[in-house]
Amino acid sequence: MASKGRNFAGCTVALATPFKDGEVDEEALRAAVEWQIARGTPILSPVGTTGEAPTLSHAEHERVIAIVVETSAGRARVVPGTGSNSTTEAIRLTRFAARAGADGALLVAPYYNRPSQEGLFRHFAAVAEAVDLPIVLYNIPARTGRNVEPETIERLAALPTIVAVKEAAGSLDQVSDVLDRTELTVLSGDDSLTLPMLAVGAEGVVSVAANIVPEDVRGMIDAFTRGDAAAARAAHARLFPLCRDLLGLAPNPVPLKAAIALLGRGRDEVRLPLCPLDEAARGRLSRALVRYGLLKG
């Protein structure tokens, strides 16, 4: 089947939200958008997990969306996170994203309240029917407590505005099942699994690592797309240790923000209940950045 969300294929950066003294650092956010655009990143996804959406106020959440849309000014597509464990709130946020000029919306499955598959279907369907904006479903059961089953995704794929799914269940079987059942564009939600997912039919990634190495993440996808399997495997092998530490030393985006600070591109400030890396983990991350060639030893 041909996918129906090809506009969302390729490399999307899961954009971090910079803070300064407890507030959203709007100047740093604009600079991060410009940095990504200068490096050819085609799609920006702010206010998701990496963007620390759970600890942003409603006003901050909307402000970040507005800044990213305004700063990108059509030079990159913007697909902000607008999900919530309240369907009413998800509709409100998605409507705001549409008014702000976003190109789509990334909707995480409702977290904490652990709805049934029927509840998940009704939640996503309610948002899709309330807002005329392309929707990328986001399945990450380790954080939400519920897997959006392929059968449920198949039902949702019949809705015209649901065009893609970001899969972070860690299962190639699930990815293959979704691809067999639907015409959705499937995107990797795990940097370390992007190449294996591409191999079974996914078409891109929503990437944490692309905050610091967007050209390398995009290069791996491009190599695979043009049929250069050896180059794609080499890129994966180089990226894997970096992704392991960016996502394995502490909850996302703690290691990412530490890396951004070590590279001199911003602060490592996060909001409680997240806290900065301890010195041992920071040292390991620093060594990973040196091995990758991003820092001098």
Side-chain angles (χ1 to χ4, degrees), residues 10 17 24 46 48-49 54 66 74 91 102 108-109 128 130 132 137 150 159 194 197 229 235 252 259 265 277 287:
T17 302
V24 174
T49 305
I91 290 171
V108 70
D132 186 18
L137 306 175
L159 302 175
T194 299
M197 286 179 61
N252 181 39
R265 288 189 41 231
L277 283 183
R287 291 190 293 274

Side-chain angles (χ1 to χ4, degrees), residues 39-209:
R39 282 152 185 80
T41 300
I43 309 173
L44 308 174
S45 186
V47 285
T49 305
T50 307
E52 293 179 75
T55 54
L56 296 179
S57 70
H58 293 168
E60 288 173 329
H61 197 132
E62 293 180 356
R63 181 65 179 151
V64 170
I65 293 172
I67 287 171
V68 174
V69 172
E70 175 188 322
T71 306
S72 62
R75 295 173 294 165
R77 296 186 293 284
V78 180
V79 184
T82 61
S84 173
N85 59 348
S86 161
T87 303
T88 300
E89 176 64 12
I91 290 171
R92 190 193 68 77
L93 279 171
T94 307
R95 282 176 171 160
F96 176 85
R99 291 196 304 272
D103 299 281
L106 179 70
L107 259 74
V108 70
Y111 43 87
Y112 185 76
N113 38 22
R114 293 170 60 85
S116 65
Q117 293 300 307
E118 181 63 24
L120 289 169
F121 173 79
R122 293 187 188 188
H123 169 83
F124 287 120
V127 181
E129 290 165 3
V131 190
D132 186 18
L133 192 67
I135 288 174
V136 180
L137 306 175
Y138 181 13
N139 184 35
I140 182 165
R143 286 184 179 267
T144 65
R146 276 285 185 263
N147 184 47
V148 186
E149 299 292 342
E151 295 87 351
T152 303
I153 295 173
E154 181 178 17
R155 292 176 67 194
L156 290 165
L159 302 175
T161 56
I162 294 180
V163 300
V165 55
K166 176 184 176 184
E167 262 297 339
S171 168
L172 291 178
D173 282 354
Q174 170 132 335
V175 171
S176 298
D177 202 355
V178 169
L179 287 165
D180 180 58
R181 293 171 179 270
T182 78
E183 298 178 13
L184 297 178
T185 292
V186 175
L187 307 171
S188 171
D190 295 297
D191 272 292
S192 61
L193 288 178
T194 299
L195 183 57
M197 286 179 61
L198 290 172
V200 298
E203 296 181 69
V205 61
V206 183
S207 171
V208 176

Side-chain angles (χ1 to χ4, degrees), residues 280-291:
R282 189 178 299 273
R284 177 173 164 180
L285 179 61
S286 178
R287 291 190 293 274
L289 294 171
V290 169
R291 287 196 303 272

Side-chain angles (χ1 to χ4, degrees), residues 13-16 32 35-36 50 207-214 256 260 265:
V13 60
L15 203 63
W35 190 88
Q36 289 290 338
T50 307
S207 171
V208 176
N211 279 275
I212 59 174
V213 287
L256 170 65
I260 288 171
R265 288 189 41 231

